[in-house]
């Protein structure tokens, strides 16, 4: 889908469908008024007849005649209630309606959808992200008769002339974020017999070929063993697919500028290992690499925009499988940091692969390190499917991520890392255990990771509740690419 900005009023550009807004009690916004005038008052007549009241999320499609094209009116609800949250819902309703239609082009009266407290740039970004999300399809493994691609190809965003520059900038940024989200979704939705550690390494190499300023390094199982990355190797030992550590270095800033480093958990399938998971919904454990998928998405979006900063994306990838070589409960492993870990549960494997990666990234002398992982089911118990859990050793970094999440609607919430929680990780036989029991499971997982991040500013994003949807809408969401990209845009 191609996005562009126009300073023409919504009734002027040629398009298959034109979209504008109506507030509660049938009050047309300026874009809807312009459309109505161009259509000789037919929209006002329909509103007067009660075809639409303007309630939040309501929609009215009016077929076009000749060159007029169809008109789509979207309800905003009461003006006093129209805030950023309501605007996101209106943009999602608009996006859903547009991608359902057979039109190949559309123009949107952006000014109609600006909520209180926000500007045109925010609204453009929200609209483009909503349209990209609604238009996403994953058909790679379906027969041709089951694929129904979205026909909408071109979307023009109509804004006042004075807002054109801000709108164009926001449009470019949002389009790149959509590209990154789609990459993350594609990787998450790909089945585990196709998406595995080696294939993720191949994807990283292809990205380096596609984009300037991007360089990829891949460490295989032999190099990991020589390095002493015992935690990554321990997790992957039970699989026929050997683990990989993948580093994608984007150099858009000055040579000496410290990079922001993202570290993604890339467990391409998680059986739980010897601590085997129940069979129900185990198919969804292909999504245990969504942290890694989001790192790929961020790197691609950064490359698309050519941001003037240095960013490193590190993916630590393995398959957690049970066989005669698999790590057992009771085993003690040596991590790259030199610390030892007693394995009490092999299903707490994500923190192990992250531990070695978080040690490895010290070589970059980073400005900040942010790891992203579908780490704990406890996160879903704490926050449900609304937000990610945020923890870290630098409150300013965590707060910036939280603010980026609020700005994009890709929200996170900070949990504490009080020293008292570290007591739960005590082991009689090793430096630490890999689990701390049922209480505060998300927090003790963060405590475990914190023992490998003492030499730099670090934040942890647990996306177990937001990385994918179950049920009829099963699929990867592309989160938290919007949050992470907004953080980088704020930095840049």
């Amino acid at each position: 889908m191609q996005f562009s900005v126009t300073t023409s009023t919504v009734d002027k550009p040629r398009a298959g469908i034109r979209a504008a807004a109506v507030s509660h009690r049938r009050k047309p916004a300026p874009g809807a008024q312009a459309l109505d005038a161009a259509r000789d008052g037919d929209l006002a007549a329909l509103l007067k007849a009660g075809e639409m009241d303007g309630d939040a999320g309501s929609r009215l499609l009016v077929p076009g005649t000749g060159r007029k094209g169809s008109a789509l009116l979207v309800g905003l609800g009461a003006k006093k209630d129209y805030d950023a949250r309501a605007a996101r819902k209106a943009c999602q309703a608009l996006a859903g309606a547009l991608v359902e239609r057979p039109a190949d082009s559309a123009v949107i009266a952006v000014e109609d959808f600006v909520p209180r407290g926000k500007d045109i740039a925010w609204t453009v970004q929200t609209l483009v992200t909503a349209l990209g999300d609604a238009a996403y399809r994953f058909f790679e493994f379906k027969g041709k008769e089951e694929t129904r691609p979205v026909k909408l190809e071109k979307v023009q965003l109509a804004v006042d002339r004075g807002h054109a520059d801000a709108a164009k900038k926001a449009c470019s940024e949002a389009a790149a974020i959509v590209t990154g989200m789609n990459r993350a979704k594609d990787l998450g939705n790909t089945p585990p017999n196709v998406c595995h550690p080696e294939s993720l390494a191949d994807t990283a190499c292809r990205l380096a070929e596609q984009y300037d300023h991007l360089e990829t390094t891949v460490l295989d199982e032999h190099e990991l063993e020589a390095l002493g990355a015992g935690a990554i190797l321990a997790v992957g030992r039970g699989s026929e697919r050997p683990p990989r550590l993948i580093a994608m270095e984007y150099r858009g800033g000055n040579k000496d500028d410290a990079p922001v480093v993202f570290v993604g958990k890339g467990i391409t399938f998680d059986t739980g290992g010897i601590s085997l998971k129940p069979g129900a919904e185990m198919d969804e454990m292909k999504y245990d690499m969504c942290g890694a998928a989001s790192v790929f998405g961020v790197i691609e979006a950064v490359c698309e925009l050519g941001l003037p900063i240095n960013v490193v994306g590190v993916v630590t990838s393995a398959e957690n499988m049970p066989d005669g070589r698999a790590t057992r409960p009771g085993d003690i492993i040596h991590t790259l940091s030199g610390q030892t870990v007693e394995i009490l549960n092999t299903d707490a494997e994500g923190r192990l692969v992250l531990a070695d990666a978080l040690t490895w990234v010290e070589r970059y002398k980073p400005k900040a390190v942010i790891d992203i992982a579908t780490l704990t089911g406890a996160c879903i118990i704490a926050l449900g499917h609304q937000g990610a859990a945020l923890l870290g050793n630098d409150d300013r970094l965590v707060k910036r991520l939280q603010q980026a999440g609020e700005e994009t609607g890709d929200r996170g919430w900070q949990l504490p890392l009080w020293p008292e929680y570290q007591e739960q990780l005590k082991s009689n036989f090793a430096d630490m255990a890999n689990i701390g029991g049922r209480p505060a499971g998300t927090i003790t997982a963060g405590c475990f990771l914190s023992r490998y991040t003492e030499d730099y500013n670090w934040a942890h994003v647990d996306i177990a509740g937001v990385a994918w949807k179950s049920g009829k809408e099963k699929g990867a969401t592309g989160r938290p690419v919007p949050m992470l990209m907004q953080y980088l845009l704020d930095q840049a």
Side-chain angles (χ1 to χ4, degrees):
M1 190 179 296
Q2 296 178 350
F3 298 96
S4 61
V5 172
T6 178
T7 56
S8 298
T9 54
V10 67
D11 57 299
K12 292 294 193 295
R14 295 193 64 175
I17 189 165
R18 294 174 170 83
V22 176
S23 296
H24 185 53
R25 296 184 178 176
R26 310 182 186 102
K27 294 179 181 177
Q33 294 174 16
L35 272 183
D36 182 57
R39 296 173 61 98
D40 302 321
D42 65 343
L43 300 183
L46 289 169
L47 291 174
K48 187 176 181 180
E51 292 295 328
M52 181 189 190
D53 194 39
D55 292 340
S58 59
R59 304 181 299 195
L60 176 64
L61 181 70
V62 184
T65 56
R67 295 179 59 185
K68 288 184 178 180
S70 300
L72 174 65
L73 301 180
V74 177
L76 305 181
K79 285 187 177 181
K80 65 181 180 61
D81 298 326
Y82 191 64
D83 55 10
R85 182 170 174 270
R88 286 193 188 96
K89 287 190 174 182
C91 291
Q92 288 163 1
L94 169 60
L98 287 177
V99 301
E100 289 166 7
R101 306 308 305 168
D104 62 1
S105 60
V107 59
I108 303 170
V110 177
E111 313 278 351
D112 285 10
F113 294 89
V114 180
R116 69 169 184 269
K118 298 296 181 182
D119 57 15
I120 200 73
W122 183 92
T123 308
V124 165
Q125 187 175 79
T126 302
L127 276 166
V128 172
T129 304
L131 281 160
D133 197 43
Y136 176 79
R137 301 290 185 272
F138 188 72
F139 289 145
E140 187 171 346
F141 298 92
K142 282 183 172 286
K144 287 185 179 179
E145 66 279 2
E146 293 196 37
T147 61
R148 290 183 296 172
V150 172
K151 292 189 177 181
L152 186 63
E153 295 178 352
K154 296 181 180 180
V155 177
Q156 295 183 75
L157 304 167
V159 302
D160 289 344
R161 189 174 299 277
H163 295 151
D165 290 343
K168 289 176 182 177
K169 182 174 183 290
C171 185
S172 296
E173 291 173 351
I177 291 171
V178 168
T179 297
M181 291 179 70
N182 288 347
R183 171 70 69 176
K185 291 177 187 178
D186 284 348
L187 288 172
N189 290 329
T190 300
N193 59 319
V194 178
C195 181
H196 46 76
E198 294 160 297
S199 74
L200 289 181
D202 291 341
T203 298
C205 291
R206 287 196 298 272
L207 284 176
E209 293 174 357
Q210 181 178 348
Y211 293 106
D212 295 334
H213 309 301
L214 185 64
E215 182 179 337
T216 290
T217 302
V218 177
L219 302 184
D220 64 20
E221 68 272 30
H222 306 295
E223 291 165 305
L224 290 171
E225 187 169 1
L227 190 65
I232 298 175
L233 293 167
V235 173
R237 189 168 290 128
S239 173
E240 293 296 320
R241 299 283 191 185
R244 294 286 184 269
L245 191 147
I246 304 157
M248 296 169 282
E249 300 180 40
Y250 169 81
R251 301 293 179 183
N254 295 325
K255 182 180 178 181
D256 296 329
D257 289 347
V260 175
V261 178
F262 295 100
V263 179
K265 171 189 171 186
I267 302 297
T268 53
F269 194 76
D270 183 18
T271 67
I274 298 299
S275 306
L276 193 67
K277 292 178 180 289
E281 298 180 346
M282 194 193 284
D283 62 290
E284 294 187 5
M285 287 301 97
K286 71 178 185 177
Y287 293 119
D288 212 16
M289 47 68 68
C290 281
S294 69
V295 170
F296 276 99
V298 167
I299 290 297
E300 184 158 12
V302 167
C303 290
E304 285 283 312
L305 288 173
L307 290 185
I309 56 177
N310 296 330
V311 182
V312 179
V314 174
V315 168
T316 177
S317 185
E319 244 186 2
N320 189 21
M321 301 287 284
D323 81 346
R325 300 173 301 166
T327 299
R328 297 153 292 217
D331 284 357
I332 293 177
I333 64 171
H334 291 262
T335 65
L336 180 58
S337 70
Q339 299 175 92
T340 58
V341 180
E342 181 186 9
I343 306 301
L344 299 183
N345 189 318
T346 63
D347 195 22
E349 84 299 326
R351 65 199 69 185
L352 297 178
V353 298
L354 288 173
D356 277 352
L358 290 170
T359 301
W360 190 78
V361 299
E362 290 177 10
R363 66 190 57 220
Y364 292 110
K365 296 180 174 56
K367 176 182 179 181
V369 175
I370 301 165
D371 78 74
I372 311 101
T374 50
L375 206 62
T376 63
C379 182
I380 304 174
I381 302 303
L383 297 174
H385 298 284
Q386 304 305 315
L390 303 176
L391 305 94
N393 62 16
D394 181 351
D395 275 348
R396 289 179 301 174
L397 174 59
V398 173
K399 292 299 184 187
R400 284 169 183 160
L401 287 171
Q402 190 165 336
Q403 289 166 4
E406 289 294 333
E407 184 72 7
T408 58
D410 182 13
R411 295 181 293 181
W413 190 256
Q414 185 174 10
L415 298 180
L417 272 182
W418 297 327
E420 289 81 1
Y421 289 115
Q422 296 282 357
E423 297 293 315
Q424 293 176 229
L425 295 174
K426 280 189 173 180
S427 165
N428 290 347
F429 309 108
D431 294 328
M432 71 196 82
N434 77 321
I435 58 172
R438 287 177 61 83
T442 300
I443 294 172
T444 55
C447 287
F448 182 93
L449 297 177
S450 73
R451 299 187 180 201
Y452 302 89
T453 63
E454 293 177 353
D455 293 333
Y456 49 73
N457 298 326
W458 158 76
H460 164 59
V461 186
D462 191 331
I463 59 171
V466 302
W468 78 91
K469 294 180 180 179
S470 300
K472 282 188 176 181
E473 296 182 352
K474 183 167 71 173
T477 63
R479 295 177 68 180
V481 171
M483 173 201 287
L484 301 177
M485 281 303 300
Q486 186 61 50
Y487 165 78
L488 286 180
L489 289 169
D490 292 342
Q491 297 300 300

